[in-house]
Amino acid sequence: MNVHGTFITRGSIGKDMARSYRIPTVLSAEELTDKAFHRAAKITVNGTNALDTKKKTTLAKITASGDIVKDAFTSYVEKFPRIDKDDDFFPELVDLVIGIDMYKKSLGAMNWAANKTERLKTEALREVRRSKDGSVIDSIRSSFYGRLSSIIRQVDDELLFLQGCKTKFRNLPAVDANVATLVVAGFPNVGKSKLVSTLSSAAPEIAPYPFTTKGIVIGHMDDDWRKYQIIDTPGLLDRSIDERNDIEKQAILALRYLTHVILFILDPSETCGYSMEKQEALLESVKRGFQGVPIIVAESKNDILVRESGNLNFSAETGSNMDILRDTIIKELRKIRFEEEEL
Ligand SMILES: Nc1nc2c(ncn2[C@@H]2O[C@H](COP(=O)(O)OP(=O)(O)O)[C@@H](O)[C@H]2O)c(=O)[nH]1
Ligand SMILES: [Mg+2]
């Protein structure tokens, strides 16, 4: 059991993300049509006479073009990440990033097109084999080509959509789902970035995150044999959740699934430009949005001002109380257990 009271079931995010990096390049309708016909055009097979040559060549052309198209559709169906019912994170994130209905519809269309192509090909091959007339064979081929390109054209929108998904999947958070993760929250200028870089064992990396232009900042902390992630989310948790539009709320929802522990920073010096009253209100809003997630509250810039509050105070600038803050964080993160560790 983890601190949320249940097993953490987000281990599959990592797998899904890894899978997403192997998503094949999706061709547009035009590219796929060109590829199939270009390959077919190069094929000639010698037969025993003119009719036999035509027949064998046509069979080979139909097989090649049909297979290229069918294999493309099939590989899209197989290689795009599946929406897994057991995974409470992935469907929500897919919906947030690309829209789950269109995603399912597009993969369904690929499946339809693959089957339809295969049937059409089998039919055309049978007709060619039966035929004894060169001009009939030519017309079977050209009608097959016409139908094949019509199938491809019919799923043009879905191909374009999946093409776009590939890019979007790549931009999903590069957060390691199997590492206990601290997310830092608080108003702008309270000292989040400074703290993350101070706690991080190496320079934090910036990773893209849906609906943020700045991305998220990922730092790493080491504790004996364990590693932790420490994440700064510019623009996400630095304003009241209640003031957010739907898309921002969804971005925060997605973030919720990546967060094991929150470190909320208050700046009592108010040099950040926000009153303590506003800062406390933001803290309440984060508490409401992240129910069940432990929140450590700490007060920054103790070199400027310390107030009586019972919260830990520190200064990332002077290093004051940084060891205590670090220990407090690690103590919370150590409580996070992953399924594989339970075995
Ligand atoms: N005096 C003082 N200034 C600090 C401290 N930590 C951060 N700052 C300053 O506060 C400003 C905002 O810090 P930053 O880390 O960018 O805040 P963020 O917007 O929350 O990421 C910068 O000018 C920092 O140099 C501190 O412990 N003491
Ligand atoms: Mg910052």
Side-chain angles (χ1 to χ4, degrees):
M1 301 284 260
N2 65 37
V3 286
H4 303 212
T6 52
F7 290 121
I8 291 171
T9 53
R10 355 164 279 154
S12 50
I13 308 168
K15 272 178 260 151
D16 278 314
M17 295 304 139
R19 223 189 287 156
S20 73
Y21 287 103
R22 294 196 300 270
I23 290 175
T25 299
V26 178
L27 300 177
S28 69
E30 200 185 336
E31 288 164 339
L32 184 55
T33 312
D34 285 352
K35 185 182 170 186
F37 293 157
H38 187 73
R39 186 80 55 83
K42 285 198 248 171
I43 296 173
T44 44
V45 183
N46 291 325
T48 48
N49 54 47
L51 180 66
D52 191 43
T53 295
K54 179 170 286 232
K55 208 174 223 187
K56 287 193 168 124
T57 300
T58 304
L59 290 170
K61 282 178 192 291
I62 291 174
T63 304
S65 53
D67 284 349
I68 285 169
V69 173
K70 194 203 84 182
D71 291 349
F73 289 139
T74 308
S75 77
Y76 303 156
V77 175
E78 285 172 356
K79 292 183 182 157
F80 269 90
R82 250 162 240 292
I83 308 285
D84 191 346
K85 270 212 272 335
D86 308 335
D87 189 334
D88 60 352
F89 175 78
F90 196 60
E92 275 177 79
L93 194 55
V94 167
D95 202 25
L96 159 68
V97 178
I98 56 186
I100 207 154
D101 289 342
M102 189 60 191
Y103 185 65
K104 285 183 173 166
K105 178 175 173 277
S106 298
L107 290 180
M110 295 300 114
N111 200 34
W112 168 85
N115 292 334
K116 182 97 182 160
T117 302
E118 182 64 19
R119 251 181 290 138
L120 207 65
K121 185 191 82 180
T122 313
E123 236 168 73
L125 291 175
R126 197 186 307 130
E127 282 177 43
V128 171
R129 276 192 208 102
R130 276 203 299 250
S131 178
K132 294 190 168 53
D133 180 333
S135 69
V136 172
I137 290 174
D138 283 340
S139 81
I140 296 168
R141 191 196 59 196
S142 67
S143 111
F144 172 74
Y145 281 1
R147 287 192 188 147
L148 189 61
S149 46
S150 152
I151 293 174
I152 301 173
R153 256 197 324 269
Q154 280 183 64
V155 294
D156 190 13
D157 287 347
E158 287 82 1
L159 285 168
L160 281 179
F161 177 80
L162 289 174
Q163 232 175 20
C165 287
K166 179 174 177 162
T167 324
K168 287 174 179 168
F169 273 123
R170 277 187 188 282
N171 289 336
L172 290 178
V175 178
D176 187 337
N178 294 309
V179 175
T181 302
L182 178 86
V183 168
V184 183
F187 268 112
N189 295 318
V190 296
K192 298 182 298 296
S193 301
K194 176 81 187 159
L195 178 71
V196 169
S197 62
T198 308
L199 287 174
S200 192
S201 53
E205 310 145 49
I206 297 173
Y209 190 83
F211 302 110
T212 62
T213 47
K214 295 171 192 161
I216 55 176
V217 182
I218 307 177
H220 300 274
M221 283 172 80
D222 304 310
D223 161 40
D224 299 335
W225 56 276
R226 282 189 82 170
K227 282 192 188 311
Y228 305 109
Q229 290 169 131
I230 166 165
I231 296 185
D232 184 14
T233 60
L236 279 180
L237 293 179
D238 55 10
R239 190 149 57 78
S240 172
I241 297 173
D242 314 300
E243 293 167 18
R244 304 294 187 154
N245 64 35
D246 282 354
I247 288 177
E248 289 171 323
K249 277 184 183 150
Q250 284 177 299
I252 293 168
L253 172 75
L255 185 66
R256 193 196 178 302
Y257 288 92
L258 303 171
T259 307
H260 294 115
V261 180
I262 286 184
L263 173 65
F264 193 94
I265 302 183
L266 293 168
D267 171 8
S269 78
E270 297 182 351
T271 54
C272 63
Y274 300 90
S275 68
M276 277 316 283
E277 196 186 344
K278 281 197 169 146
Q279 294 185 58
E280 301 274 9
L282 178 60
L283 172 57
E284 288 311 311
S285 148
V286 170
K287 277 183 184 165
R288 278 195 302 278
F290 286 75
Q291 280 173 30
V293 178
I295 300 185
I296 302 167
V297 181
E299 303 190 356
S300 63
K301 308 183 188 175
N302 77 0
D303 52 310
I304 303 178
L305 187 108
V306 177
R307 64 165 191 164
E308 289 296 323
S309 69
N311 293 325
L312 178 65
N313 62 69
F314 69 96
S315 168
E317 203 84 37
T318 66
S320 159
N321 283 347
M322 283 300 290
D323 44 351
I324 303 173
L325 179 61
R326 203 188 126 88
D327 288 349
T328 308
I329 292 167
I330 285 183
K331 204 173 138 213
E332 268 322 308
L333 290 173
R334 273 185 186 163
K335 293 181 192 168
I336 307 302
R337 292 278 179 275
F338 295 91
E339 278 167 276
E340 45 271 47
E341 292 174 54
E342 308 270 338
L343 302 172

